[in-house]
Amino acid sequence: MMPKSLCRIFTPFLFLIVLISLLKPNPAQAQSSSIRFTRLTSTHGLPHDMVNCILQDHFGYLWFGTQRGLSRYDGYTFTTYHHRRNEADSLVSDTVNVLFEDSQGLLWVGTVSGVDQYDAARQRFIHYPELYESVQAIIEDAQGNLWIGTAGSGLFRFDRITNSFITYTHNPSDPNSLSDDHVNALLFDDNEILWVGTDYG
């Protein structure tokens, strides 16, 4: 048992510690109160308020893929790109699902009607008619090949040297084939193993 003399000394200190702990602000509350959200909507220049994907390129521009076109934002204004039926080098579709910048600094745009490569020098889009399907995911391997996941046609690998596609699909009689043709997500891990997220399997 603690002597009464020591109790008299420690009691004020204990009270002081408790008081300080009560006055100290909760870090979680302090952080949450300092977060402020600023909105950019169609009233500011976005082609549509439903944004499916966002990317910042190596120049610092922000790209927004929406339900009604692709927009580039320089911090002040939007430049918007649309599909135009009479312009062969316009965006292949206005519904943009995914954006990806490769190791060469090229922007790839995955839409509900295929994939485009943006030619910044000429302000145009290069189409790849071999892949006419809704694109869900794009990634690049160590060799510079692009892997493109679609919403029903499987997985595509784009070989830059031959400028051609190789397709991987589900084969019910082959347990080593792709588990499903609806590909939603792609990832290369540290060992350069490709992980494929699908709808079923």
Side-chain angles (χ1 to χ4, degrees):
M1 186 172 175
M2 186 181 292
K4 289 183 179 180
S5 58
L6 286 177
C7 284
R8 290 193 191 98
I9 295 170
F10 279 103
T11 300
F13 285 111
L14 289 172
F15 176 75
L16 184 61
I17 290 169
V18 171
L19 181 64
I20 290 171
S21 67
L22 291 173
L23 293 176
K24 187 178 179 181
N26 188 332
Q29 290 179 345
Q31 289 176 358
S32 64
S33 64
S34 66
I35 295 174
R36 186 170 58 93
F37 293 92
T38 302
R39 293 177 179 85
L40 292 173
T41 68
S42 54
T43 61
H44 301 96
L46 267 176
H48 197 274
D49 288 336
M50 186 178 288
V51 176
N52 297 327
C53 50
I54 304 172
L55 178 141
Q56 185 173 28
D57 67 18
H58 64 286
F59 294 113
Y61 292 115
L62 287 173
W63 293 83
F64 298 89
T66 78
Q67 290 291 101
R68 203 172 292 158
L70 174 67
S71 277
R72 187 186 71 186
Y73 185 59
D74 62 7
Y76 301 97
T77 58
F78 288 95
T79 302
T80 300
Y81 304 88
H82 288 288
H83 169 69
R84 303 193 189 282
R85 189 175 297 175
N86 299 323
E87 296 179 16
D89 57 358
S90 69
L91 195 64
V92 72
S93 170
D94 270 349
T95 305
V96 179
N97 294 330
V98 61
L99 296 167
F100 180 76
E101 185 178 45
D102 65 20
S103 58
Q104 298 178 20
L106 299 174
L107 178 67
W108 295 82
V109 184
T111 75
V112 294
S113 300
V115 65
D116 280 344
Q117 178 197 318
Y118 177 60
D119 182 351
R122 299 182 182 179
Q123 297 277 305
R124 67 186 182 107
F125 293 89
I126 301 168
H127 308 310
Y128 293 87
E130 302 94 333
L131 201 164
Y132 190 77
E133 176 62 88
S134 183
V135 174
Q136 302 295 99
I138 306 173
I139 201 168
E140 185 179 17
D141 64 23
Q143 290 73 42
N145 300 307
L146 286 182
W147 294 78
I148 301 168
T150 69
S153 295
L155 179 65
F156 289 74
R157 187 184 73 180
F158 178 62
D159 189 322
R160 293 178 187 272
I161 297 173
T162 62
N163 203 41
S164 62
F165 289 91
I166 299 171
T167 310
Y168 302 88
T169 56
H170 173 65
N171 181 352
S173 62
D174 182 3
N176 295 316
S177 69
L178 192 66
S179 61
D180 185 73
D181 288 339
H182 294 78
V183 178
N184 299 319
L186 298 170
L187 172 76
F188 276 104
D189 65 19
D190 292 338
N191 297 315
E192 276 300 302
I193 295 172
L194 177 62
W195 294 81
V196 183
T198 68
D199 271 1
Y200 307 101

